Amino acid sequence: MTGFEVTQEQRTLAIICGASRWPRLNNFESNQGFSNTANQLSGYLTSENGLRIRPENLLWLFDSPEGSINQLDQIDAFFEERFRIFEAPSGAAVTIVLIYVGHGAFFGRERMYCLLLRDTHEPHLAATSLRVADLANALRARAPQSSQFIVLDACFAGVAFKDFQSDIQQIGYQKIENDLREVDARGVVLLCSASARNPAQLDRSGLATMFGHAMLEVLKAGDAELHGAMSLGHVYKLTRRYLEGFDNAPLPELHAPDQRSVDLCNMPLFPNPARSGTDTAINQVDQQAALITDNRDYARGVVQKRDALQDELRIAMSTLANTARSMHADISELTKNLVSAYELLRKQLDFDGLEEGIANDQTIDLQGLSLQHRRAMLMWTAQDMLRTSLGDISSHLYALVALESATPQSIKESWNVVIEGLEELQRQNPDDPWRLKRRLVFMQLPMDEFYNSRE
């Protein structure tokens, strides 16, 4: 790892936004390929072989049910908090990586380029989408001193570069500032999955976007002919070369709409796996493996396999946590709708009197009630039961999200809860062998000994 990478990993922020489904639109079908791509990119950004971005420095907005304004507010609050911790006003010396995965389209009379969100809906298509102009203005206003690397994996993404261009006043001041500042890494570089005229595509398997899959393959493989880290410009060249091997594949574009004295396109940013083993092999290998053999190729292979497994684990856990986070939001929205419908039902029937009677152990006589009234009472009761169940599910999902970044101590504290939950499931489902087998596996792990040795 270069000195640049060591310092940058501590001051790099990432945002992943977009959507894999659009429930309020008829013309856009949901596809797991978008979600898979976003999750794999998240795993790469936080992995040991990737940018090593800390979890607290990554803002996950993918498949968020929040509207465009709320998401922009979350981005703004995220920058404000992290810049304060970094002591970096306006994002000075901070690297920002923002990735969008999903659909791009042109809406409104002005045919504004918009990135579709899960909340995008008729008739306010532009207002409920993430307008690229609004995103660019938000980054320009909150983080004007930062280095911004924007990746847009969406149809017609190439048109977005104009919204990130400097205004006339900025261009006028640029030469003066460059004369006063030896190195100025402020600016924006934009990697787009397709040109302004071409739609993006899913890969042939349908399990990822074509561009996202190609870029991840390049990032994981690296370039053996390049010494040191890869720039976004180099990743672009390798990704374009990769996609040229497919018929009719949309080719990516690289734009630098706003740069100062430093060429961000060529700034080293991404680790180069093809060279990192050669440059730092024996420094990264386990001491035990080094004692077993002096064969550097073998040692390098051990380290790379170990890191690859760790990255796969991280991607799997990130996918689980992100899916749970999205489902938690769905259930919260569903619960709100249930409560709203329940209040409408209460206005029609005297449920307050019924509840008082139940509290006083009075016998409820259903005789004489109409069929519609009986249905309403059953729905009232079922709604209470459903809200209770949804609350339990929501709590479990929240716990799954929290476990992604759990410490050894918090895992140890949660272990008995997990065991008790498995035992209860086994009591409720005595004929289910899988829960029993899973519990036996848990019980055979020497957890106390394992964690006591690490405290």
Side-chain angles (χ1 to χ4, degrees):
M1 179 178 294
T2 67
F4 173 80
E5 292 166 330
V6 171
T7 56
Q8 280 302 101
E9 73 182 39
Q10 310 300 332
R11 298 175 65 87
T12 300
L13 301 178
I15 300 169
I16 299 181
C17 56
S20 63
R21 47 192 170 128
W22 300 268
R24 305 178 70 179
L25 291 175
N26 295 324
N27 298 329
F28 294 89
E29 295 184 359
S30 62
N31 193 290
Q32 188 64 29
F34 296 107
S35 180
N36 292 340
T37 300
N39 279 308
Q40 290 178 42
L41 286 168
S42 173
Y44 171 79
L45 292 177
T46 57
S47 71
E48 291 299 315
N49 287 334
L51 291 189
R52 299 187 178 187
I53 295 176
R54 296 176 177 177
E56 65 270 20
N57 289 338
L58 189 149
L59 177 63
W60 177 265
L61 293 174
F62 189 83
D63 263 340
S64 170
E66 299 289 346
S68 56
I69 299 300
N70 286 344
Q71 291 199 32
L72 287 171
D73 285 342
Q74 289 183 56
I75 292 173
D76 189 71
F78 175 65
F79 284 155
E80 183 177 13
E81 178 195 18
R82 303 320 296 172
F83 291 169
R84 175 177 54 79
I85 292 174
F86 292 165
E87 297 183 352
S90 301
V94 173
T95 299
I96 295 173
V97 179
L98 187 146
I99 300 174
Y100 172 88
V101 181
H103 280 304
F106 299 93
F107 294 140
R109 290 183 178 179
E110 299 83 2
R111 305 302 292 165
M112 291 178 293
Y113 183 57
C114 300
L115 304 173
L116 273 64
L117 302 175
R118 188 171 143 188
D119 182 57
T120 301
H121 60 270
E122 298 271 10
H124 312 293
L125 292 172
T128 56
S129 298
L130 183 59
R131 290 178 286 209
V132 173
D134 292 339
L135 177 61
N137 288 334
L139 292 169
R140 192 177 295 122
R142 174 59 71 177
Q145 305 294 324
S146 65
S147 303
Q148 301 169 18
F149 298 85
I150 315 296
V151 179
L152 300 181
D153 190 357
C155 298
F156 318 114
V159 76
F161 84 94
K162 62 182 181 181
D163 290 315
F164 285 92
Q165 286 179 314
S166 301
D167 59 30
I168 299 298
Q169 187 178 33
Q170 287 176 317
I171 294 174
Y173 289 148
Q174 181 170 324
K175 186 178 186 305
I176 298 175
E177 290 182 340
N178 287 347
D179 291 340
L180 298 175
R181 192 185 298 260
E182 181 180 356
V183 176
D184 189 349
R186 292 178 293 169
V188 180
V189 60
L190 198 64
L191 178 56
C192 306
S193 63
S195 71
R197 297 186 177 183
N198 290 329
Q201 297 179 16
L202 294 170
D203 70 1
R204 293 177 180 177
S205 69
L207 299 178
T209 66
M210 181 172 283
F211 167 78
H213 174 77
M215 185 173 69
L216 282 163
E217 288 296 307
V218 165
L219 291 171
K220 291 178 181 179
D223 186 354
E225 297 181 0
L226 176 71
H227 292 277
M230 297 185 293
S231 65
L232 190 64
H234 197 76
V235 170
Y236 153 71
K237 293 176 182 177
L238 295 178
T239 303
R240 185 180 179 95
R241 187 185 307 165
Y242 183 99
L243 289 170
E244 285 173 347
F246 297 88
D247 293 336
N248 301 319
L251 298 179
E253 293 185 348
L254 185 71
H255 299 279
D258 181 9
Q259 293 197 109
R260 310 302 167 94
S261 65
V262 171
D263 182 1
L264 292 182
C265 293
N266 294 319
M267 177 182 288
L269 180 64
F270 302 99
N272 184 0
R275 295 292 302 186
S276 60
T278 301
D279 296 337
T280 63
I282 203 63
N283 293 327
Q284 294 182 353
V285 74
D286 291 335
Q287 291 183 359
Q288 184 177 3
L291 291 173
I292 294 174
T293 177
D294 289 332
N295 187 322
R296 291 197 175 195
D297 290 336
Y298 171 79
R300 183 166 64 251
V302 170
V303 172
Q304 289 177 342
K305 288 180 180 179
R306 181 195 63 195
D307 288 347
L309 287 173
Q310 291 291 332
D311 287 349
E312 292 298 326
L313 279 172
R314 189 174 285 102
I315 290 172
M317 290 190 296
S318 176
T319 300
L320 280 172
N322 291 335
T323 302
R325 188 178 289 106
S326 177
M327 292 174 64
H328 183 272
D330 287 344
I331 289 176
S332 297
E333 186 67 22
L334 176 61
T335 303
K336 290 179 183 178
N337 292 337
L338 280 171
V339 171
S340 177
Y342 185 39
E343 291 305 314
L344 289 175
L345 196 61
R346 289 177 66 92
K347 292 179 180 179
Q348 303 300 319
L349 299 173
D350 182 20
F351 284 122
D352 290 333
L354 182 63
E355 290 171 348
E356 183 179 354
I358 293 174
N360 294 327
D361 295 328
Q362 295 179 5
T363 301
I364 307 300
D365 186 7
L366 300 180
Q367 297 298 321
L369 292 178
S370 68
L371 177 61
Q372 193 67 7
H373 278 78
R374 296 187 187 190
R375 287 172 177 164
M377 289 186 65
L378 285 173
M379 291 184 71
W380 167 72
T381 304
Q383 188 266 358
D384 279 352
M385 296 170 61
L386 181 58
R387 283 178 62 185
T388 300
S389 300
L390 288 175
D392 292 340
I393 294 172
S394 184
S395 297
H396 292 315
L397 289 170
Y398 183 81
L400 182 57
V401 173
L403 284 172
E404 181 188 17
S405 56
T407 63
Q409 180 62 33
S410 61
I411 292 176
K412 181 180 178 181
E413 293 171 352
S414 303
W415 200 260
N416 289 336
V417 177
V418 173
I419 296 299
E420 291 172 2
L422 290 170
E423 290 175 343
E424 179 61 27
L425 287 172
Q426 181 60 31
R427 285 192 292 270
Q428 295 175 3
N429 303 273
D431 297 328
D432 186 345
W434 292 109
R435 287 198 176 97
L436 177 60
K437 290 179 180 179
R438 196 174 300 137
R439 175 176 174 270
L440 290 175
V441 170
F442 273 103
M443 295 300 292
Q444 290 173 7
L445 294 175
M447 292 305 300
D448 288 338
E449 179 182 349
F450 179 83
Y451 285 108
N452 286 337
S453 65
R454 286 160 173 74
E455 293 178 353

